Amino acid sequence: ALGGALYTSTATSVNLEAVSLTANTARYAGGSAFAEGNSSALNLNGCVLTDNAVFEGSGGSVAAAGCALLAMSSCSITGNRAA
């Protein structure tokens, strides 16, 4: 699976404001969030990403593949891990 708490794909725009994503897991990428697709966008503002994990891939906290926009502002990222 991709994106332990959030997965977004083509033609989707997601904006998260002051959200805490904690202790989520994914098998391949994006322990807390994963974005993909040419016209997808993921915006994180003031979020806390803590203790998320990926078991067989990358992006212990957030990962993206070919998305139009991945933006993070004033986020706290701690204790995340990828295999």
Side-chain angles (χ1 to χ4, degrees):
L2 302 168
L6 174 71
Y7 172 84
T8 182
S9 64
T10 304
T12 304
S13 180
V14 175
N15 299 301
L16 299 179
E17 181 87 25
V19 172
S20 179
L21 299 174
T22 302
N24 296 286
T25 60
R27 183 169 182 180
Y28 298 115
S32 64
F34 183 81
E36 72 176 342
N38 293 340
S39 56
S40 68
L42 177 59
N43 297 290
L44 304 164
N45 185 29
C47 295
V48 177
L49 310 172
T50 307
D51 297 329
N52 299 288
V54 172
F55 299 116
E56 297 180 30
S58 61
S61 183
V62 176
C67 69
L69 174 69
L70 173 61
M72 300 175 74
S73 175
S74 300
C75 294
S76 172
I77 303 170
T78 58
N80 300 283
R81 60 197 179 284

